[in-house]
Amino acid sequence: MRLLFPAILIGALSACAVPVPIPVPGGASEAPTAAALSRVGRFALRVDEVGGKQNAVQGGFAWRDDGQSLVLDLVSPLGATLARVEAGPQGAMLREANGTETHALNPDALVALVLGSRIPVAGMRDWLRGALPDSPPATVTEKDAQGRPTAFEQAGWQVQASQYDAAGPTRMALQRQEPTGQNVDLRLVINTP
């Protein structure tokens, strides 16, 4: 569970998004771009094993993304650091609270390395914006009055999105059955300003 938790969150939280000013050298600040994102919230992750055992973890997260690199901090309910994920043109890295680091070329490769199996996570970033990437194809089963997806399936994930703000949904429920038979249930609540 220690390894599954950060890996699932790498993909699922890589979408938490709200525009923020990004610091630039010299202390100046430039206007936020469409790619600049910042979100803070809570998560609850439960993994049901094939034999009936349940593993669960919950806590908070802080996501900062300038459009080229990102930092994702994961904390326990009491505020203790669990892990930090950093990704950019130079690659992706997971640093656990004990100082252990895992490196890969990108977040998808990092998840594959940490989990031992490939899970496509690149498109998850769009989900919390209320958008769907083109590949792999998505099946949208419900939309809200503004045409935003509220229920869809993509890349093996069944996703429910609700309570949209200007950046995207502030409540998400993501479920997936892994090839190993495990059921993964991830709930996200985004704190609104």
Side-chain angles (χ1 to χ4, degrees):
M1 186 63 186
R2 179 184 65 81
L3 295 177
L4 180 61
F5 154 71
I8 295 293
L9 287 175
I10 290 167
L13 297 178
S14 64
C16 304
V18 135
V20 295
I22 303 300
V24 295
S29 179
E30 58 184 45
T33 66
L37 314 168
S38 178
R39 276 297 223 205
V40 175
R42 298 181 317 272
F43 68 88
L45 174 66
R46 187 185 78 226
V47 178
D48 298 323
E49 303 289 339
V50 175
K53 181 180 175 188
Q54 264 189 7
N55 295 304
V57 66
Q58 58 187 335
F61 66 88
W63 168 266
R64 295 171 306 283
D65 183 346
D66 67 6
Q68 300 215 353
S69 61
L70 68 89
V71 175
L72 170 63
D73 289 313
L74 306 171
V75 297
S76 74
L78 298 176
T81 298
L82 298 172
R84 172 174 269 193
V85 176
E86 296 178 18
Q90 71 285 356
M93 184 260 311
L94 166 68
R95 180 180 302 122
E96 298 176 58
N98 64 8
T100 302
E101 292 184 2
T102 305
H103 297 265
L105 293 175
N106 55 52
D108 281 353
L110 184 60
V111 169
L113 183 62
V114 172
L115 283 180
S117 64
R118 298 200 66 78
I119 295 176
V121 297
M124 289 186 189
R125 182 168 194 254
D126 294 322
W127 294 353
L128 286 175
R129 289 182 184 255
L132 302 174
D134 293 333
S135 180
T139 302
V140 178
T141 55
E142 293 179 32
K143 292 183 178 184
D144 67 10
Q146 289 76 36
R148 301 173 296 201
T150 56
F152 60 91
E153 183 175 340
Q154 189 170 34
W157 290 93
Q158 291 79 41
V159 181
Q160 299 283 324
S162 63
Q163 299 183 15
Y164 276 77
D165 65 9
T170 61
R171 304 284 188 274
M172 293 194 76
L174 300 93
Q175 296 178 330
R176 176 181 170 96
Q177 182 161 4
E178 298 296 329
T180 59
Q182 295 174 322
N183 289 311
V184 179
D185 186 328
L186 176 63
R187 308 283 172 159
L188 303 175
V189 176
I190 310 302
N191 298 336
T192 54

